[in-house]
Amino acid sequence: MFIVFKLLGSLALLMFGMKSMSDALQKMAGPQLRHVLGAMTTNRFTGMLTGTVVTASVQSSTATTVMTVSFVNAGLLTLAQAISVIMGANIGTTLTAWIMALGASFDISIVSYVGFFVGIILIYMKKHRYIGDFLFGLGLLLLGLTTLRITGNEMDLGHNPSVLAFFQSFDPNSFWTTLVFLLLGGVLTFCVQSSAAVMAITMLLCGSGAMPIYQGIALVLGENIGTTITSNLAALSANTQARRAALAHMFFNVFGVIWILLVFRWFIDGVVYVVDNMMGQAQASYQSKLTFTLAAFHTGFNVINAGILIWFIPQIEKFVCWVIKSKKADEEEDFRLHFITAGFMKTPELSVLEAQKEIQSFSERMQRMFGMVQELLNESSSLTGKKQDDQKFNTLYSRIEKYEGISDNMELEIAKYLEQVSDAHLSDDTKGKIRAMLREISELESIGDACFNMARTINRKYTQKQDHFTEKQYSHLHQMMGLTENALTQMNLLMGGRKETYDVNRTFNIENEINNFRNQLKAQNIIDINNHEYTYAEGTVYMDLVNECEKLGDYVVNVVEARKGTRQRES
């Protein structure tokens, strides 16, 4: 039992080390992550190189793939870019196998202790704590591999009758045996959510002589398919493009497994021949050759597969688009978070990117809602009494009412998501972003309330069949709404772009125009009532709309200040 717990504990160290490295890498990249990825995926080859480098750094293709699917979901990467990154992730993950092969042949524990020592110093230095987290994760990974090797030697599986009998019960020359172990590899990888952990077990079994190399390689092939299930599960609650990226990952690996099965024996014999010639007969033990053969096969298979399919990325993109078709229904009319998902292995830095994209969508919806209010005002000017006019007005009012409910739900759901993210270990920069985003969604919901208040005022005037506004009142209302529309446009330019390039004075200037115009109309309204141009009651409804526009302008300023990280001003 002690040896079994050492085995499980070493696998846990391995997996936790990879997760720590992945988290630290994303924290180091910080707000530049999306821009770096965009710059590094300009074509299919740089995209594949990006996937290779990132996966080799975090030692987890699953983390890279889930990250990539999330970026597609948030609109930060195109589908074609994501496919090339995922191809690179399959190559980058093969470095793990080589580290394991070296760990089985040499004592790499000294490197892990150096990683712990340097890492803890950097963690306490604050300024470089994310580099320290990365090195500490690397130390845990290498320590896990070292413990796994020592535990494997203690178990002596190559001389265990029960283990040997189990593997000998399978016909080594049967194609069905290959399929059984391929399926077993896929199931194990899906269960532990880590192809590296299953690769470590495979190397342990093959290196000890308990499992034949052909069955071990079949397990490796199964791992390639099992790891795709994670990204597909992560994409279940995502948008169409993210589900397509996850399907492309599965297609890529399944295609590779199909063609390798056609040349299975010949390919493995070729790899064995190359390893034998490179390592020599006398210079390496049988155990080392088997582990290096597994690593060489894993690399050769993924490099060749990527080399074949990289030329067919446009065709793969068309295929997954054909399989997963876009929804024809207007999703804007139904409440649904488009970018926030509850996928696996999420990190706070990645979650913040998704939340930012969702808030941008929220902001755009509020501008569309205000556009409906302007349209409702235009419809209310027609008091013909015709049934079709009433129906058109009521339909438009119902849409605005529905959007008000959507704004309430979006605020609550995004806030709930950000609260979950804030429970994690966060960088100072991320904590500041979450505070700003909570303020943004609160102000955006207030914009929705202001729009609905205007719609209710217009609806009350329309249903009570009150007299039209005067031409001068309509002209002033359209002018005020035009200024407010301009403020919303500037807000969305900021929400959709880089805040460093946005001049906040644009918003402040528009707000001053709105305030001055409101004061002007307020004074003019009293004069017009005294001159009997309209009644006091009509003037009250008129000024209610003007004041709501002014309030909406204040909410816009608050959103802009929250996004820019400036102090909230008094309204």
Side-chain angles (χ1 to χ4, degrees):
M1 287 296 295
F2 176 71
I3 291 178
V4 169
F5 278 114
K6 278 184 68 177
L7 177 66
L8 295 175
S10 60
L11 289 173
L13 276 176
L14 178 72
M15 295 167 66
F16 185 74
M18 287 190 295
K19 186 179 185 307
S20 299
M21 291 168 69
S22 176
D23 290 352
L25 182 72
Q26 292 180 52
K27 286 177 182 177
M28 280 190 281
Q32 278 69 48
L33 192 58
R34 60 174 290 188
H35 305 295
V36 169
L37 275 172
M40 292 180 67
T41 54
T42 51
N43 61 63
R44 66 185 77 180
F45 297 102
T46 56
M48 187 169 74
L49 180 63
T50 301
T52 303
V53 172
V54 171
T55 306
S57 301
V58 301
Q59 289 298 297
S60 174
S61 61
T62 303
T64 304
T65 305
V66 172
M67 193 191 310
T68 304
V69 170
S70 299
F71 284 153
V72 174
N73 184 62
L76 306 178
L77 287 179
T78 66
L79 181 57
Q81 287 174 322
I83 293 172
S84 63
V85 171
I86 289 169
M87 286 183 178
N90 278 33
I91 296 175
T93 194
T94 63
L95 178 64
T96 310
W98 287 105
I99 294 174
M100 291 178 184
L102 287 170
S105 304
F106 308 100
D107 185 5
I108 56 175
S109 60
I110 183 62
V111 182
S112 65
Y113 296 129
V114 171
F116 291 143
F117 178 72
V118 177
I120 200 67
I121 292 174
L122 294 176
I123 289 170
Y124 280 104
M125 286 175 65
K126 297 286 186 183
K127 185 178 179 181
H128 303 292
R129 64 183 179 276
Y130 303 134
I131 300 175
D133 287 339
F134 182 86
L135 291 175
F136 217 86
L138 177 62
L140 289 172
L141 183 148
L142 296 177
L143 182 62
L145 287 176
T146 302
T147 310
L148 191 67
R149 175 179 61 83
I150 295 170
T151 307
N153 292 335
E154 291 176 357
M155 294 175 73
D156 194 20
L157 295 174
H159 297 92
N160 188 306
S162 301
V163 175
L164 291 173
F166 172 77
F167 289 111
Q168 288 171 359
S169 65
F170 294 94
D171 182 3
N173 298 314
S174 172
F175 180 72
W176 293 109
T177 298
T178 302
L179 291 181
V180 167
F181 278 86
L182 190 149
L183 179 63
L184 182 62
V187 171
L188 283 173
T189 305
F190 169 68
C191 290
V192 301
Q193 295 289 305
S194 173
S195 58
V198 181
M199 173 64 82
I201 295 171
T202 305
M203 285 194 164
L204 180 66
L205 290 169
C206 286
S208 65
M211 184 167 62
I213 189 66
Y214 293 107
Q215 294 172 6
I217 287 177
L219 274 180
V220 172
L221 290 177
E223 294 158 19
N224 274 35
I225 295 178
T227 195
T228 66
I229 300 175
T230 304
S231 57
N232 277 272
L233 287 174
L236 283 178
S237 58
N239 60 23
T240 303
Q241 286 293 83
R243 293 200 304 276
R244 287 170 176 170
L247 179 62
H249 184 213
M250 180 171 282
F251 171 83
F252 177 83
N253 284 15
V254 170
F255 174 84
V257 168
I258 290 172
W259 72 256
I260 200 68
L261 285 176
L262 299 176
V263 294
F264 189 66
R265 293 273 171 169
W266 296 293
F267 193 90
I268 296 174
D269 290 343
V271 172
V272 170
Y273 176 79
V274 171
V275 172
D276 279 342
N277 278 277
M278 289 183 66
M279 299 185 71
Q281 298 295 328
Q283 288 143 346
S285 66
Y286 179 71
Q287 177 184 1
S288 298
K289 285 186 179 179
L290 285 178
T291 53
F292 276 103
T293 299
L294 282 171
F297 171 83
H298 197 209
T299 302
F301 163 66
N302 281 293
V303 168
I304 293 172
N305 198 35
I308 294 171
L309 290 179
I310 194 170
W311 305 103
F312 298 97
I313 287 180
Q315 288 73 23
I316 296 173
E317 186 176 9
K318 288 179 182 177
F319 170 74
V320 295
C321 289
W322 174 75
V323 174
I324 302 177
K325 294 179 173 58
S326 299
K327 292 183 179 179
K328 295 181 180 179
D330 184 7
E331 293 183 345
E332 292 300 332
E333 294 300 313
D334 297 309
F335 168 65
R336 177 176 177 269
L337 296 180
H338 296 292
F339 304 103
I340 287 175
T341 60
F344 290 77
M345 294 181 66
K346 286 296 177 65
T347 61
E349 310 300 321
L350 184 55
S351 300
V352 165
L353 286 175
E354 291 185 340
Q356 283 178 344
K357 198 70 177 180
E358 197 67 68
I359 293 172
Q360 182 187 339
S361 173
F362 189 3
S363 178
E364 291 167 354
R365 280 188 174 189
M366 292 304 95
Q367 184 168 10
R368 282 194 292 274
M369 185 179 181
F370 184 73
M372 293 177 201
V373 173
Q374 295 180 79
E375 190 179 344
L376 191 73
L377 178 65
N378 293 333
E379 290 294 329
S380 70
S381 64
S382 174
L383 292 173
T384 61
K386 293 181 180 179
K387 186 176 180 180
Q388 59 267 33
D389 289 337
D390 287 344
Q391 186 176 3
K392 186 176 181 182
F393 180 91
N394 291 332
T395 301
L396 186 56
Y397 178 75
S398 295
R399 286 187 70 196
I400 295 171
E401 191 173 27
K402 193 171 187 178
Y403 263 65
E404 202 278 331
I406 288 173
S407 71
D408 291 342
N409 287 330
M410 288 194 77
E411 180 194 19
L412 292 174
E413 291 300 316
I414 296 173
K416 186 190 299 182
Y417 182 75
L418 290 173
E419 285 172 3
Q420 292 173 352
V421 173
S422 64
D423 289 337
H425 176 64
L426 303 174
S427 63
D428 294 336
D429 184 49
T430 303
K431 289 177 185 176
K433 284 181 182 178
I434 290 177
R435 286 193 297 270
M437 286 190 286
L438 287 170
R439 182 178 158 200
E440 286 168 23
I441 59 174
S442 174
E443 299 297 339
L444 286 170
E445 194 276 333
S446 297
I447 291 174
D449 288 343
C451 290
F452 187 52
N453 288 339
M454 282 188 272
R456 283 193 299 184
T457 301
I458 297 168
N459 181 59
R460 186 169 61 249
K461 180 177 174 60
Y462 184 83
T463 54
Q464 293 175 1
K465 305 298 180 185
Q466 297 177 8
D467 291 336
H468 290 301
F469 289 126
T470 65
E471 287 188 12
K472 187 166 69 171
Q473 283 177 313
Y474 273 121
S475 175
H476 289 157
L477 284 173
H478 288 313
Q479 189 175 348
M480 175 62 91
M481 287 185 170
L483 288 170
T484 309
E485 177 74 25
N486 192 13
L488 288 165
T489 300
Q490 291 299 321
M491 177 185 75
N492 280 316
L493 283 175
L494 170 63
M495 300 300 281
R498 298 190 69 171
K499 63 181 182 181
E500 296 83 4
T501 61
Y502 181 81
D503 183 5
V504 76
N505 289 321
R506 299 178 199 167
T507 296
F508 293 154
N509 291 337
I510 296 171
E511 185 209 12
N512 289 332
E513 287 186 62
I514 291 174
N515 289 342
N516 293 335
F517 194 49
R518 187 273 312 265
N519 294 336
Q520 179 185 331
L521 294 180
K522 188 175 181 180
Q524 186 64 43
N525 180 59
I526 295 172
I527 295 171
D528 291 342
I529 291 172
N530 287 334
N531 292 336
H532 303 292
E533 293 188 23
Y534 44 80
T535 66
Y536 182 83
E538 290 169 348
T540 301
V541 174
Y542 166 65
M543 285 309 299
D544 282 346
L545 294 175
V546 171
N547 288 326
E548 284 297 337
C549 282
E550 192 277 330
K551 286 180 185 177
L552 197 154
D554 288 339
Y555 299 141
V556 167
V557 171
N558 292 340
V559 172
V560 169
E561 289 182 332
R563 181 78 177 94
K564 288 285 289 182
T566 55
R567 183 178 59 85
Q568 187 170 0
R569 306 192 310 169
E570 294 295 330
S571 299

